[in-house]
């Protein structure tokens, strides 16, 4: 993309309403614009990152064998009356009346709707196991929306639901979700720690929240420092293997890691003192096995091998897609701006032309741009007439991980400059080598 | 995808509520399920087609130089009061009050919101031309929603907005949209004819609707039969070229083609009688230049080269993404079910195993499945124990354009059967040749 043809409304001043760094940088980098309280338009740069995160979530869910679909944003109140949640949910549920006076609501979650789909179409254990998921906009009418997309009212979430014959099968689905979530967050450049969560009124041990450590996190967290040494990496895993998935669960959840909601000082005291950590965290996902709560209430029964009708065991599993942008920035920035992890960056590379209008510099930039495009890499080429300082400041602010700087002086020596946004280090290289380096970083075969 | 692991709830009986063929087949093929009146859940098969259509729209919009972003579903009433449409819109607008008593609405369209974004960030002619678009769910509270996704209440639409300094520039944007729409529909296997539309209260000659001919269309259309001979094909076009885009507009709109709203018997009578046609059509898109209507009302001004502040010239351009599924089925089906065009089919190919459990047949199916997957082609492999007749009926119903049938008898002679859903013709071929044929059809290099 040529910047002269893009829509990237970068702000010089810090908007006064933004209290945390991710919100400030998302506004300044022209990623979002508030449409009304807690509701945002995603400007082109923000939309690209949102899509990248969505794609990672889709790929990892499908790798785990989960099936994509899409439920609508608006739901009928009737299903929520069946489950008993219509009255329980309180003021965060946005209630709507249509022109015929029917009670509707903007879905904050989808247990009722998915259970209704399931009971309409599935009646035999032979059709199990089944996990369906979608990525859809949801609404929670927060009394005080704040922190930009971190605590918005209209937000994008992946929510998935497993349907299984037995508790044992449902716990395998739980473990599959844990593995797929670990993979997803790592691909986004995040370390998200599964922490024992509060099962709420249902209770039970089978719920974990995934937290990203960040000073601005809303939750206080307590953990054994050994847990931050764990990475899933690119190990092969068979999602059908109960043993393999269970082993990952044990590896990632056997050490102490809890939020203030479930923190237990007595157990925490058993962790060797030098490994005890207190910090703040941002919740970016949750997995939850809740048994037959909804299948009982809504009559989602299947016939088992003996011919008996039994309620299915279910769980729901969420990833906060839009909030992840905030979490990633909270964990990846400096005082100049955002530092995107390669996995989610809106453009793979920036190109800065130090002397737009100089024939040689323009031609060199065009050639680099064309080479990167041919490799399937997206570059943002700053082809404007802005002075060099302004171009660098904008590139640093929007946080592309790699930048190629092209100027007449370097070209005389046959080199351009390749700069890492994260380390700030620059190397001078012939253009072909800079392109090859970028191709290697992103796993693209160079020409 | 193996059918045994998929969620494809095919119905044997025709649902009584469905009046038109696309609605019947979408329900029977397990593509959608009604959530409430005019609101649908997209089951996995339907979701895949929806995504394919969305992807084509994205690719063609970006090819034309239009920039993707995303606006929220809910909007504040304030902007609509500024434009004067809050009171004008009537009961089809779903009005919502949040917990603080603020007036909101579920966006039926986005002229106000995009104009607000524009005026907040753009103040110079140097940042023009600019066309922004998004694909987002919208809501129109239809009094009698019907025909499934063809006239639903919650529907997915692409809407794009151009901002230009002059009427001339804006008409080039109009023409770019016309070209990109022709390309999009053709890739979906549709012939959509641009017909002169009614400019409504604004008037003006610069609006066309795109109509797909189908018996169940809601509009009566009148046209010169020469128009159905036109195809855009894969001709190269430079979207920056005013002349090239204008030439396409002239080629595709100079012959008589109007809906009943703009039909003029006197002009129609000038078409030679043997070329005059009357038919029914489904509207699948509209382009519209409306000048400075919103920029005047909302103060979206830019400074021109002379330093004067002038309102920008705008247009809005829509494609009915979710309704396109209905339109495609109305135009592509027979009495056995859907016949997907290759461009939007949910799976590239079906594989039917005539004797699941037979070692040789199972192995042959697995090998074909693996080969297609390696070529980047998605196959739906019916690996269930259902009898052959049932498998064929389901495959015909869901309408995959190509089917490979594998059975012990054929394998003894070293062949499988490759069947075209559209023509019904079958040929016997060695498995490798069947795979190669499929790879050619979809433009994939065979191994």
């Amino acid at each position: 993309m040529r910047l002269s043809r893009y829509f990237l409304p970068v702000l010089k001043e810090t908007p006064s309403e933004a209290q945390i760094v991710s919100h400030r940088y998302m506004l300044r980098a022209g990623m979002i614009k508030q449409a009304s309280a807690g509701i945002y338009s995603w400007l082109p740069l923000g939309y690209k990152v949102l899509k990248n995160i969505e794609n990672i979530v889709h790929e990892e869910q499908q790798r785990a064998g989960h099936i994509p679909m899409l439920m609508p944003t608006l739901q009928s109140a009737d299903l929520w009356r069946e489950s008993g949640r219509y009255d329980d949910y309180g003021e965060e549920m946005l209630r709507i009346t249509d022109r015929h006076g029917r009670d509707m609501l903007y879905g904050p979650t989808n247990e009722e709707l998915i259970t209704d789909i399931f009971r309409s179409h599935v009646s035999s254990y032979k059709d199990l196991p089944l996990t369906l998921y979608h990525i859809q906009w949801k609404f929670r009418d927060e009394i005080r929306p704040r922190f930009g997309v971190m605590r918005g009212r209209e937000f994008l979430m992946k929510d998935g639901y497993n349907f299984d014959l037995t508790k044992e099968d449902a716990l395998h689905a739980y473990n599959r979700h844990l593995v797929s979530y670990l993979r997803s967050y790592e691909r986004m450049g995040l370390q998200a720690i599964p922490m024992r969560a509060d099962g709420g009124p249902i209770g039970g041990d089978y719920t974990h929240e995934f937290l990203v450590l960040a000073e601005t996190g809303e939750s206080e967290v307590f953990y054994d420092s050994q847990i931050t040494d764990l990475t899933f990496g690119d190990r092969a895993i068979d999602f059908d293997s109960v043993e393999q998935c269970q082993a990952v669960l044990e590896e990632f959840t056997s050490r102490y890691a809890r939020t203030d909601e479930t923190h237990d000082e007595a157990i925490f005291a058993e962790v060797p003192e030098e490994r005890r950590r207190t910090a703040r965290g941002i919740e970016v996902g949750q997995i939850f096995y809740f048994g037959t709560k909804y299948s009982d209430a809504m009559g989602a029964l299947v016939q088992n091998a003996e011919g008996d009708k039994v309620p299915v065991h279910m769980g729901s599993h969420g990833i906060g897609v839009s909030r992840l942008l905030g979490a990633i920035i909270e964990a990846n920035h400096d005082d100049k701006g955002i530092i995107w992890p390669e996995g989610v960056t809106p453009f793979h590379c920036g190109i800065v032309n130090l002397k737009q209008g100089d024939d040689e510099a323009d031609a060199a930039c065009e050639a680099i741009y064309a080479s990167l495009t041919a490799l399937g890499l997206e570059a943002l080429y700053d082809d404007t007439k802005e002075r060099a300082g302004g171009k660098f400041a904008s590139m640093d602010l929007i946080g592309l991980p790699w930048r190629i700087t092209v100027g007449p002086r370097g070209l005389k020596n046959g080199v351009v400059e390749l700069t890492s946004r994260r380390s700030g280090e620059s190397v001078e290289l012939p253009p072909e080598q800079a392109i090859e380096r970028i191709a290697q970083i992103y796993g693209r075969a160079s020409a």
Side-chain angles (χ1 to χ4, degrees), chain A residues 151-167:
Chain A
R151 205 172 183 89
R153 295 199 292 168
E154 187 169 329
F155 60 99
L156 188 61
M157 193 168 146
K158 171 260 161 181
D159 42 324
Y161 305 89
N162 68 286
F163 300 90
D164 289 279
L165 185 61
T166 64
K167 178 176 177 179

Side-chain angles (χ1 to χ4, degrees), chain A residues 64 67 88 114 151 168 179 211 222 228 271-272 278 339 381 383 391:
Chain A
I67 300 172
D88 294 350
I114 196 77
R151 205 172 183 89
E168 194 180 25
V179 176
L211 284 104
F222 306 84
T228 54
V271 178
T278 305
I339 305 171
Y381 168 25
D383 60 344
K391 288 188 177 187

